[in-house]
Amino acid sequence: MSTTTHTVAGMPCSHCVSAVTEEISKIDGVTAVDVDLTTGEVTVESDQPVATEAVAAAVDEAGYELAP
Ligand SMILES: [Cu+2]
């Protein structure tokens, strides 16, 4: 079990949250995704550690990007 947190920039509404959640949920081994709309903080729970690159790619797929 592994938990990582990331920050996504520019998610103004709950639609963004569901798009990001859906894409990150598709990553292999991810068991839960929690997005905080006000802070942009994304918590990813997974069976094994998920590479930041994989999360970044999923966020990009949803149309957003990880904050530096
Ligand atoms: Cu939105």
Side-chain angles (χ1 to χ4, degrees):
M1 193 55 142
S2 165
T3 303
T4 54
T5 58
H6 307 272
T7 305
V8 177
M11 289 192 302
C13 73
S14 58
H15 172 260
C16 310
V17 169
S18 54
V20 167
T21 301
E22 191 183 322
E23 289 301 330
I24 295 177
S25 297
K26 290 179 187 169
I27 300 171
D28 254 9
V30 169
T31 53
V33 181
D34 184 69
V35 180
D36 186 319
L37 180 58
T38 49
T39 61
E41 191 169 275
V42 179
T43 304
V44 180
E45 283 181 27
S46 52
D47 292 332
Q48 68 265 346
V50 171
T52 301
E53 293 74 35
V55 176
V59 169
D60 183 70
E61 191 69 27
Y64 307 93
E65 56 184 43
L66 288 185

